[in-house]
RNA sequence: GCUCUUGUAGCUCAGUGGUAGAGCACUCCCUUGGUAAGGGAGAGGCCACGCGUUCAAUCCGCGUCAAGAGCACCA
């Protein structure tokens, strides 16, 4: 007798071992048809899996996250099947599930073209329609190696050969195609209905840049057509919001060949920058940080002490003067330690918090550069806190609160917090790491927030908290970080005098909230699709005349708004009012003042608001003072 | 850095082995028009850079630089 416990805790008795498919069929024909796999005592299996003894079973369908993963994984195999049909001499390698889809890497004598992709996708559709059964069999490892070697699939053979010799491996077959795979897979290709191949690109065999470059085909797959359409729509939306495109359209910045990875900020882009920087400056001022400024270029001897010359040289721009080597700073922390060291510090001075909008340069690999999101020259809201080990938790609690407030002010409400824990390669004793990691956990616990932990992802000198913000189309960006560092203060000779007159080395906390301002502004642009809220908008108000009679009145209004501290422009051009409105609408100006004879005679302004519903919406005509109050309220609310 | 793709007017893009075209933007003229493009004329390019092949190269080949996608990288 086999007793199967279903998720609703009901128990079904079977008089002999029973497959997942049979259990599904015993529940209902609909479920039998929908079943993609099963979860037996928490382990995902195929529908053909035979349950030999009492177990808990959940039937997996496309309504479960596990089911969707199975669909994606099986679609990756379908892709490989189609490629082998069309290009028999291509070799298969691996094909995992990734976020929103899957990929499969092939070794082939030439790159696949877009035409190839279309042909492969068509073939996949045909193979899916034929509803070919997918079957699983198990072979001893050595037999499997021989099998794939015999097929000329050297990469597969290599993968299997790295599995321990005494283990069996599972093979999945559909039609003439057999692939090594841990599984599980959907029972037949007909379950795969919604998929699309996205792009092809190179990728290294086993992810190592020393290895051969393979052809990677990316695809997306979903349970329902509408889900795929929503996903494709999101991608389109992301493309429309591309900060590089909007940066050009709104005349915010440009980049050119002579300065790869570095930004030329135009007046409007720099206006945004100034808003962000000035805002972050008040954050420093209001939270116990002292702003400082350190040199851009420091001598090699300092970088040798800090360890950068040895470990980070490839990423630093170096220069030389009168036979001495220098490096342009890639980060601000060594400079901040110099300021700390410039005086004899007491434990009473701690925690000592320094902040800097320091310009840093890193020689990033050319292929890593991306618009203003990944650059070689950048500025961070970089701060360092010198404190004692006992103070770490309190400082992290305060920082956590501050970071969340800043994200909220910028309109990011959905923040995921993670702690990156000790990596394999690290310095410091396990005891120190225990204390540091627990200090971060305690801080987040005390802050009453939830977090996830990332084992092995910490920096070599200490663990860190990471802040990931979700943007308006659901993408996640890591910006803020709080890192505990037990190493650099000692290396660079930072000390303070404790309450027994003994010299101690402080702990240093590296922290940033927005991170690189370049990148953060890129994120802001994409998050708002260029329509920045009034407090950040480079031009907050444009005042325009309907005919030239009101030119003088426009100038008066503009002068009044300027005096009130707003970023405002006049548009007195000899163009129709609808033409001007269109232009400033495309420029995403939040408020457009249309000033004609009506307004001039009444001494009022009519404001057309950007964020109104439909094509365009006006505020009621009001006095200039009333409009100034309205604008001030908008800006104060950071809407 | 690696693989593939790309580089033509300020912008978005056509195009050809015989030194180039459109729309928008720009300048001038007409127009003074009330909520997303009024009309006309004009100016504007060493076709990324260098070296080859050719009678002739923006186009073909090689190299360099830069950009894009992905990979690797992000201490």
């Amino acid at each position: 007798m086999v007793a199967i416990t279903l998720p609703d805790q009901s128990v079904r008795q079977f008089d002999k071992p029973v497959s997942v498919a049979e259990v599904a069929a015993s529940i209902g024909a609909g479920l039998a048809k929908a079943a993609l796999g099963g979860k037996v005592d928490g382990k995902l299996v195929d529908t053909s899996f035979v349950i030999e003894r009492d177990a808990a079973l959940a039937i997996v369908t496309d309504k479960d996250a596990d089911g969707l993963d199975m669909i994606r994984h099986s679609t990756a195999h379908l892709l490989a099947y189609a490629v082998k049909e069309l290009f028999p001499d291509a070799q298969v390698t691996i094909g995992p599930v990734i976020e929103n889809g899957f990929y499969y890497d092939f070794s082939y004598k030439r790159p696949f073209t877009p035409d190839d992709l279309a042909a492969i996708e068509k073939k996949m559709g045909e193979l899916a329609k034929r509803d070919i059964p997918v079957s699983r069999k198990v072979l001893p490892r050595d037999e499997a190696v021989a099998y794939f070697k015999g097929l000329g699939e050297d990469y597969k053979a290599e993968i299997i050969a790295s599995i321990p010799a005494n283990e069996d491996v599972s093979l999945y077959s559909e039609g003439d195609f057999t692939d090594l795979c841990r599984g599980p897979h959907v029972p037949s290709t007909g379950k795969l209905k919604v998929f699309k191949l996205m792009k092809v690109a190179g990728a290294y065999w086993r992810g190592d840049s020393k290895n051969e470059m393979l052809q990677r085909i990316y695809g997306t797959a979903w349970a329902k057509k509408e889900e795929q359409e929503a996903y494709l729509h999101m991608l389109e939306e992301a493309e429309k919001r591309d900060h590089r495109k909007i940066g050009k359209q709104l005349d915010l910045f440009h980049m050119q060949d002579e300065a790869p990875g570095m930004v030329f900020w135009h007046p409007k882009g720099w206006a945004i920058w100034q808003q962000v920087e000035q805002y972050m400056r008040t954050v420093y001022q209001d939270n116990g940080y002292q702003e400082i400024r350190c040199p851009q270029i420091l001598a090699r001897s300092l970088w040798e002490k800090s360890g950068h010359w040895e470990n980070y040289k490839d990423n630093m721009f170096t220069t030389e003067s009168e036979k001495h080597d220098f490096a342009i700073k890639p980060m601000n922390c060594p400079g901040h330690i110099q300021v700390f060291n410039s005086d004899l510090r007491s434990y009473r001075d701690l925690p000592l918090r320094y902040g800097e909008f320091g310009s840093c340069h890193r020689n990033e690999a050319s292929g890593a550069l991306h618009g203003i999101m990944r650059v070689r020259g950048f500025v961070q809201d970089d701060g360092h806190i010198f404190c004692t080990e006992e103070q770490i938790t309190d400082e992290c609690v305060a920082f956590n609160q501050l970071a969340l407030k800043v994200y909220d002010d910028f309109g990011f409400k959905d923040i995921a917090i993670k702690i990156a824990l000790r990596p394999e390669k690290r310095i410091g004793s396990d005891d120190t790491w225990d204390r540091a990691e627990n200090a971060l956990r305690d801080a987040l616990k005390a802050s009453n927030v939830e977090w996830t932990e990332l084992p092995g992802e910490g920096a070599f000198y200490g663990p860190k908290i990471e802040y990931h913000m979700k943007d308006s189309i659901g993408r996640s960006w890591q910006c803020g970080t709080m890192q505990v560092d037990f190493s650099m203060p000692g290396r660079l000779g930072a000390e303070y005098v404790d309450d027994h007159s003994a010299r101690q080395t402080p702990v240093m906390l590296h922290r940033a909230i927005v991170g690189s301002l370049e990148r953060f502004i890129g994120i802001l642009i994409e998050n708002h699709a260029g329509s920045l809220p009034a407090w950040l908008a480079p031009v907050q108000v444009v005042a325009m005349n309907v005919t030239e009679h009101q030119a003088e009145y426009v100038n008066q209004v503009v002068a009044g708004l300027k005096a009130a501290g707003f970023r405002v422009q006049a548009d007195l051009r000899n163009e129709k009012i609808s033409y001007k409105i269109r232009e400033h609408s495309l420029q995403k100006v939040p408020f457009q003042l249309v000033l004609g004879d009506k307004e001039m005679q009444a001494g009022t302004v009519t404001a057309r608001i950007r964020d109104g519903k439909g094509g365009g919406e006006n505020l009621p005509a009001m006095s200039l003072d009333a409009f100034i109050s309205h604008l001030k309220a908008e800006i104060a609310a950071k809407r």
Side-chain angles (χ1 to χ4, degrees), chain A residues 14 50 64 66 95 110 172 199 225 227 240 242 270 380 393 403 407 410 418 446 477 484 502 507 531 537 557 573 585:
Chain A
F14 295 88
V50 176
D64 306 305
D66 287 329
R110 62 166 178 84
Y172 281 83
K199 56 193 163 202
K225 201 162 183 191
E227 290 167 350
K240 270 191 252 165
D242 190 313
W270 192 244
Q380 283 174 291
T393 301
Y407 298 138
F410 280 109
K418 304 183 180 179
W477 304 92
V484 184
V507 177
S531 295
V557 168
R573 288 175 306 169
S585 300

Side-chain angles (χ1 to χ4, degrees), chain A residues 36 44 60-75 97-102 186 192 194 220-224 227-228:
Chain A
L36 299 176
L44 267 186
V60 173
T61 69
D62 65 13
K63 292 192 174 56
D64 306 305
D66 287 329
L68 183 55
D69 274 1
M70 286 180 69
I71 286 174
R72 288 176 175 160
H73 192 180
S74 294
T75 309
V97 172
I98 53 174
E99 202 181 354
N100 299 321
F102 60 89
V186 301
L192 310 173
V194 185
T220 189
W222 301 84
K224 294 203 169 47
E227 290 167 350
Q228 175 161 297

Side-chain angles (χ1 to χ4, degrees), chain A residues 301-313:
Chain A
S301 54
L302 183 95
W303 299 115
E304 282 173 346
K305 262 188 257 171
S306 71
H308 286 86
W309 198 269
E310 195 187 351
N311 297 311
Y312 204 63
K313 190 165 188 304

Side-chain angles (χ1 to χ4, degrees), chain A residues 619-630:
Chain A
L619 297 177
M622 61 179 90
S623 69
L624 182 58
D625 284 345
F627 178 65
I628 287 175
S629 304
H630 178 83

Side-chain angles (χ1 to χ4, degrees), chain A residues 265-291:
Chain A
W265 287 99
H266 295 12
K268 285 187 191 164
W270 192 244
I272 300 171
W273 178 294
Q274 280 305 312
Q275 292 316 301
V276 176
E277 182 177 324
Q278 298 302 349
Y279 166 82
M280 291 311 294
R281 180 161 282 122
T282 65
V283 168
Y284 281 153
Q285 286 164 356
D286 298 346
N287 293 278
Y289 290 80
Q290 296 172 277
E291 190 177 337

Side-chain angles (χ1 to χ4, degrees), chain A residues 369-385:
Chain A
L369 302 178
H370 179 83
I372 65 173
M373 299 283 207
R374 185 90 183 263
V375 287
R376 289 189 175 145
F378 59 93
V379 173
Q380 283 174 291
D381 65 317
D382 201 5
H384 295 93
I385 301 169

